[in-house]
Structure formats: structure tokens, C-alpha cells
Amino acid sequence: MSVPLPTFHNRGDRAYRVTLTGLAALLPLLLVVVGAELAVRAWPSIHRFGFNFLWTGRWDPVTEVYGAGPLIFGTLVSSLLALLLAVPLALGVAIFLTEFAPKWLRRPVAFLVELLAAVPSVVYGVWGIFVLIPFLRGHVVPGLKAVLGWSPFFSGVFYGNSMLAGGIILAIMIVPYIAAVSREVLLAVPGSQREAALGLGATRWEAVWSAVLPYGRAGVIGAVMLGLGRALGETMAVTMVIGNRHDIGASLLQPGYTMAAALANEFSEATTGMYLAALFEVGLLLFVITVTVNALARLLVWRVARGGSAGSRAL
Amino acid sequence: MRRTTLLALALAAAPAAAQVQLNGAGATFPNIIYQDWILTYGQTHPDVKLNYQSIGSGGGIRQFSDGTVDFGGSDAPMTDSAIAAIQGNVLHIPTVLGAIVLTYDLPGVTQQLKFSPDVIAGIFLGTITKWNDARIASINPGVTLPATDIVVVHRSDGSGTTYGFTDYLSKVSQDWAQKVGKGPSVNWPVGLGGKGNEGVASTVVQTPGGVGYVELGYATANKMAFGLVQNSAGKFVAPTLDAVTAALAGALAKMGPTTDFRVSITNPDGADAYPIATMTWLLLHKSYADAAKAKALVQFVWWAETEGQAKAPTLGYAPLPAQLRPWIQVRLRSITAGGRAAWSGPAAR
């Protein structure tokens, strides 16, 4: 009398399922625990400064008055600037590599672009200080000021370390992520889409713009959001070039600060309770912002995928 | 027979088992000499295993107060409230001295610039904004100063160096004391922030017209330009190790054997004193639970205060004046473990 195979399988399956469910539940649980821990540690600051913490700009450890307005502002502006610069570049690279580049060129170029993602961020920071900032000072900013100096975004004196430098460094750092994922997405678009567009008399460019990109748009949006998530949380390279100044200004030539950079700079030396609590609140805000951005991205991808063609299949 | 063999084995193994492990953490500034002391001391005292992690003064104070380390290191003394929070169970023992220098990047200027207290305060408050300002020019006769903007660079991370520098500014400028104050990190009126000495240094070097403050040892190791600073006697003094030791000697004139070592030594008396001098402290408990640990720790610290001092100049630190030694010994003798003194060094001199 042997044990019937199906029963044995079922029991194994059940154990397997329970184990996997438990493991899968651990991750969301971790998210909740991290959020709760941050909120508890930040409580003295939340209690004392209330909503003022979000938009006041005074950050004074001597008199124990804290406001994270410039940090939130700097995080959002530097990340958006990075997206503005990186998305066209990364999409261009992805489209070139999948649609236009000769076969022999595709692999080496794709490899080199992805290699950029492997460079440690402190190396980007050093490169930013010694190459990018002098280049900006010598060649880019004079031109920018000559043409756009009238606008508030390019007013004031440029000392080097600035929001502009921070945004550019971030852009370079997130290009490989957006480019690599977008390339995979575009590669997965069926050839029949291109052939149909070309068959209708579209040029190569029109085929890409009207058939290939719309088909993969969910995936491309996902790639952009991946880049944004990375830009929001980047610390080392940004703190080395952004100027680390608690200030809100329209000009991109002025120094700024980001939440991640402030945490990295100030956490190890914060001794008083309120100072620590304020930093924990900054951490909590960063956590909330990144989770919100990711949730919005999911929602966007989901809606685009459901509304349009089977774009999500290209993921 | 067999039992005696086992006993002999156990006795032979005993010294190894009795090794004392002492952990410390804190300031990065004295890290080089602390590591050197630990290495040298370990060679003659294999029964003591010392470990010091340079995690920063603030972190050192936190870990010392939490009891996760046996001793701390800090360039900024603990505040009264922080001391009250651990029921006053702390002694600040100075170990070596350092200096904070003003480093600048002015293409075309080859002479060493002179800074007066007013000028330094004016620059860091943002009231002096051009290098050719009359207040700078008047104390630098013969130097052709360019009309470039002054770009202030300060530390963005909390730091004992910032504490020493803002402590000095608070003493020499009423304005600074009221508007900004002193601390490991402050609300800077102007300027860019750089992370660490290296962050300040690289930003200054890369920014024409940049001026910042870094530790003397860092500036000399990297051959950076730094200025002379006018002391309270009116003399412009270069930041040399002798001038730093002279600064503490000047400050000592106002101290007695029982003065709290948390005393600040910036802007001291003395014609040859460099005014932006700082002390770095070891944080020890007044009473320890473990007698073996307390005894080994006190012994090590006394060694560092005597024989260890000889190493300081070669490593870029100014040694403590010998006058301070008996005062330090009195504090070390007061450390107890289980109600009994942990001191086992030489008899009182």
C-alpha cells in the first residue's frame, strides 16, 4: 500500500504555498514597520512644529528650530530637473538602439550605457566637482545667462555648487536605468507593429512614434518612474555638488539641498532629542514621498495598460 | 594526576581568557593618533585589547551615553543637559590639541593673507562680500586683492571643527553670538556646504574666491593655502603646533587644578597663541561596573597623556602642555569601579 501520489503532492503544495505567502507578506509588513518606526521617532518634531515643518525654511540646530521646506523643495526640483534632462536622452538612446543602430553597434553601445549604472555614486560626485562644475562655469552658464538671464530660473551669481549641477549629475545617473528598461520594452514590441505602420506608408520615424512607442508606453512610463525613484533617494553625488544650503530660490544657479543629502550629512552628529526627531521626520517625509511616487507610477502604468493596447505585455 | 594537569592547563590558558576588551567611539579628528596609540600600547600590553571607531563626535557622545562603548571621543564637550541625562557620570579628559585654519582660493595672490577677528566674522556673516573690501585690504598692505566675490564654504555635516570655529566666532563677534551661536552644526547666514574636511577643501579649491575652514592637519597634508589670524594680543600668527600649544598655555592662565576641562581655549591670551585652537577629549565614566576594564582604561589613558604625547607632533597634533598633567592625574585617580579607585599608576607626584 503506497501513499497515493496526489495527496502527497497536495500536502507539499500547501506547505509551499503557506511558506511563500508568509514570505510575500513579510515585505509589505516591513514597509509598514519602517514607516511606523520613523513616525514614532519623529513624533517630538511632528508634535512641536506641526505642519509648519513642511514649509518653513529655518534649520537651526543651535536654537532647535527646524523646517524642512527647502529640503522638500530641493528634492523635488532636482529630481524633476533630472527627469527633464534624462528622459529625452534615455528614450533617444533606447529608440536608436532598437530601431536605427546597425546590428553590430547595438550590443556594445547598450553595454556601455548600462555600465554607467555600475559607477559608484561617489565617483559621479567627484567627477561633478572636478569636471562638470568647472565645465558649467566656463562654458555652459555664461551662455545660459546671456540667453535666459532675464528669467528668474537663471538669475543670480553662479558659484558652481548648485541645483543645476545637482540636477545634471542626477540626470546622468538615471539615464542608464531609463534607457536599459525602455530598450527592453521596445525590443519586446512585436515586429508586426512596425511592419504594419511601414506598410501603411509611414516613415521609420513615424512608425516608431505612432506604432512602437504607444505600444510600449506603459513600460516606458515604468522605466521613467524607476529613474525618478532613484533620483529622489540619491545621496552622495548630490550632496557633493548641490551646495547643501537650506534655501528656497527660483534660480537653478543657486545652491540647494535635498532630504537624502541632509540625512546623510547631519544624522551622525545629531545629539539632542529634537534634532534627531527633526531628522527622523525628514526621513519619514522622504519615505512618504517615494512611496507616493511609486504608487502613482503603478496607477499610471495600470491605467495606461488597461486603456490602451496590450502595452503592459511589453514589460 | 590528571586533575593537576588539567589545572595547569587551565592556569596556562588563564591570561588569554583574562584579556580586557575596551571599546571606544567618537571624534574623527584625533583618530590617527588614537589608532597609533592603540597599536603602540597593544605591543607592550597584549592583555588589553583596545578598539576605537571614528564615527564622529556626536555619535561618540550618543554611544557613550547609551553605554554601548566604554569610552567616547569628542571635539565638542557634552552640554550640561547631556551630562545631566547620564547623572553626571562623565569626565572630559583632554588628549591632544588641534587648530582650525582659514583656507582660500585666490588666483594671482601669492602672499599669505592676514585675517583679523572682525574680518573673519564679517566674511562668515556675509557683511564682507568682496575680496578687495577695505577691511581686508587695510590689514593686508602690499597685497593686490582681486574684486572677486567671496564664496564662503562651511561644513554641511555636523562636526567638532564647526564647533571650534563657531565657538571662536561667538567669542570675537557679538553679532555672531546673537545671530548664529555655536554648535557642531549651525544655521549659516551665507555660503555653500561641503561634506567633511575634504568636501570643504575641494569646494574651496574649485571655486575662485572660495574661503573655508578646515583642520590644520588636513590643510598641511594637502598643501593648501591658509591665512594668518590675529590673536587677542593683536599679533598675526601662523597656525603652527607651537602656536597651538601656546594657545592652551594662554588659556591655562585662567584655569585652576579643578577647572572643568570642558573649557574652551579659542581666542586665548598670549602673544604667540594661534587663536582658533581646539581641544579634543576622551569621555570616561566617573564610575565603572567592571573593575578590570576601569583599571586597564585608566592605565591606558595615563600612558597616552605621558609617553603617548611624544608621538603627537609627528602626526600633526599639538601635545598638551606638561603643566596639565598633574591636573589630569587627579581626575584619573578619581575614577572608581565598585567603589574602589581604578588607578594603578605611579604614586602622586
Side-chain angles (χ1 to χ4, degrees):
Chain A
M1 284 275 273
S2 59
V3 181
L5 273 174
T7 321
F8 176 76
H9 260 191
N10 279 345
R11 190 178 293 167
D13 280 353
R14 210 173 294 142
Y16 186 56
R17 203 171 86 182
V18 167
T19 314
L20 281 191
T21 313
L23 288 176
L26 266 183
L27 280 179
L29 193 71
L30 193 66
L31 200 71
V32 172
V33 169
V34 168
E37 176 72 16
L38 283 173
V40 167
R41 302 289 292 264
W43 182 247
S45 163
I46 298 173
H47 183 70
R48 177 150 155 205
F49 303 114
F51 283 109
N52 280 338
F53 191 78
L54 301 181
W55 50 72
T56 55
R58 191 178 160 86
W59 187 270
D60 190 342
V62 178
T63 54
E64 301 257 13
V65 176
Y66 302 101
L71 299 178
I72 299 170
F73 173 82
T75 303
L76 295 179
V77 169
S78 61
S79 298
L80 289 178
L81 181 64
L83 277 194
L84 212 64
L85 297 171
V87 167
L89 188 62
L91 272 185
V93 168
I95 292 171
F96 172 74
L97 285 179
T98 51
E99 310 292 332
F100 296 101
K103 275 253 156 38
W104 61 268
L105 195 63
R106 293 182 181 190
R107 275 188 174 279
V109 172
F111 175 71
L112 284 177
V113 170
E114 278 162 34
L115 207 61
L116 279 180
V119 177
S121 62
V122 65
V123 174
Y124 278 109
V126 171
W127 179 83
I129 291 177
F130 290 100
V131 181
L132 177 67
I133 287 178
F135 179 76
L136 287 177
R137 188 187 294 122
H139 305 282
V140 179
V141 171
L144 271 177
K145 283 193 78 77
V147 182
L148 294 165
W150 50 269
S151 80
F153 302 118
F154 297 98
S155 62
V157 186
F158 179 77
Y159 293 126
N161 297 35
S162 57
M163 202 69 106
L164 182 69
I168 293 175
I169 280 282
L170 278 177
I172 297 168
M173 294 179 77
I174 65 177
V175 158
Y177 290 88
I178 304 179
V181 177
S182 302
R183 194 180 73 99
E184 294 299 325
V185 168
L186 296 184
L187 277 179
V189 174
S192 56
Q193 294 283 324
R194 292 182 190 83
E195 285 157 18
L198 292 172
L200 287 172
T203 62
R204 297 273 305 265
W205 169 246
E206 283 165 347
V208 168
W209 191 249
S210 58
V212 177
L213 273 182
Y215 193 90
R217 67 186 166 202
V220 171
I221 291 173
V224 171
M225 290 301 158
L226 185 73
L228 178 59
R230 174 141 170 85
L232 286 173
E234 175 50 41
T235 306
M236 201 58 208
V238 176
T239 195
M240 289 168 83
V241 298
I242 204 167
N244 302 324
R245 179 145 193 84
H246 292 273
D247 230 345
I248 294 182
S251 176
L252 295 177
L253 306 183
Q254 283 173 6
Y257 217 158
T258 69
M259 291 193 270
L263 284 176
N265 271 325
E266 303 193 20
F267 197 79
S268 65
E269 289 293 313
T271 40
T272 67
M274 192 54 71
Y275 196 0
L276 267 182
L279 287 171
F280 270 110
E281 190 172 354
V282 171
L284 180 67
L285 289 171
L286 183 58
F287 180 76
V288 168
I289 288 176
T290 38
V291 168
T292 311
V293 164
N294 275 306
L296 284 177
R298 286 276 147 219
L299 203 69
L300 200 62
V301 170
W302 179 67
R303 285 197 51 176
V304 166
R306 211 181 48 151
S309 58
S312 62
R313 231 180 277 151
L315 265 174
Chain B
M1 196 62 181
R2 184 175 292 162
R3 192 170 288 172
T4 46
T5 325
L6 274 177
L7 193 66
L9 274 174
L11 282 175
Q19 192 183 51
V20 183
Q21 170 89 35
L22 294 168
N23 292 315
T28 48
F29 157 67
N31 185 45
I32 294 173
I33 193 162
Y34 286 3
Q35 298 302 343
D36 190 275
W37 281 345
I38 286 171
L39 198 71
T40 316
Y41 191 74
Q43 283 162 359
T44 48
H45 298 78
D47 52 326
V48 182
K49 183 137 179 54
L50 283 146
N51 173 29
Y52 181 79
Q53 291 181 24
S54 59
I55 58 169
S57 299
I61 290 175
R62 229 188 296 162
Q63 292 211 0
F64 174 76
S65 301
D66 292 346
T68 37
V69 292
D70 304 307
F71 63 97
S74 182
D75 304 335
M78 288 174 72
T79 58
D80 290 339
S81 61
I83 291 178
I86 54 167
Q87 289 80 46
N89 190 11
V90 60
L91 281 174
H92 286 69
I93 305 291
T95 49
V96 286
L97 307 171
I100 297 163
V101 304
L102 284 160
T103 180
Y104 52 87
D105 180 56
L106 272 181
V109 175
T110 48
Q111 298 99 321
Q112 201 168 16
L113 282 188
K114 292 175 180 168
F115 293 92
S116 66
D118 289 345
V119 163
I120 300 175
I123 288 174
F124 282 84
L125 277 168
T127 54
I128 298 178
T129 56
K130 294 273 186 197
W131 277 108
N132 61 353
D133 191 287
R135 283 164 283 185
I136 303 178
S138 67
I139 53 171
N140 286 286
V143 181
T144 323
L145 291 159
T148 39
D149 283 343
I150 296 177
V151 184
V152 168
V153 187
H154 54 75
R155 290 281 289 265
S156 60
D157 50 334
S159 150
T161 311
T162 300
Y163 177 85
F165 189 64
T166 53
D167 177 51
Y168 170 73
L169 284 175
S170 298
K171 279 189 190 173
V172 298
S173 162
Q174 276 285 308
D175 259 10
W176 184 275
Q178 278 164 14
K179 286 183 188 153
V180 187
K182 61 177 175 177
S185 47
V186 299
N187 184 21
W188 293 95
V190 289
L192 305 170
K195 187 166 164 52
N197 279 306
E198 60 283 1
V200 171
S202 57
T203 308
V204 168
V205 168
Q206 289 296 315
T207 314
V211 59
Y213 59 92
V214 292
E215 283 158 9
L216 170 63
Y218 188 85
T220 44
N222 292 283
K223 300 189 172 57
M224 300 171 66
F226 49 78
L228 308 178
V229 179
Q230 191 178 33
N231 64 19
S232 60
K235 195 172 155 191
F236 289 95
V237 182
T240 59
L241 297 185
D242 289 343
V244 172
T245 304
L248 180 54
L252 279 176
K254 287 180 185 159
M255 290 170 67
T258 54
T259 308
D260 191 340
F261 282 141
R262 289 190 292 154
V263 65
S264 148
I265 61 165
T266 52
N267 203 32
D269 294 337
D272 299 318
Y274 180 75
I276 324 179
T278 56
M279 255 199 277
T280 186
W281 295 269
L282 278 180
L283 306 175
L284 305 179
H285 284 303
K286 283 179 177 166
S287 68
Y288 282 88
D290 186 331
K293 270 191 177 184
K295 189 175 160 218
L297 185 57
V298 168
Q299 218 166 30
F300 165 71
V301 175
W302 182 242
W303 175 87
E305 298 290 355
T306 49
E307 282 178 55
Q309 291 292 313
K311 266 290 181 62
T314 54
L315 295 173
Y317 303 89
L320 297 174
Q323 189 192 344
L324 211 55
R325 276 189 201 174
W327 299 357
I328 289 173
Q329 197 189 100
V330 171
R331 314 283 162 106
L332 291 179
R333 282 170 173 274
S334 73
I335 294 175
T336 59
R340 298 173 58 183
W343 177 262
S344 61
R349 300 175 188 179

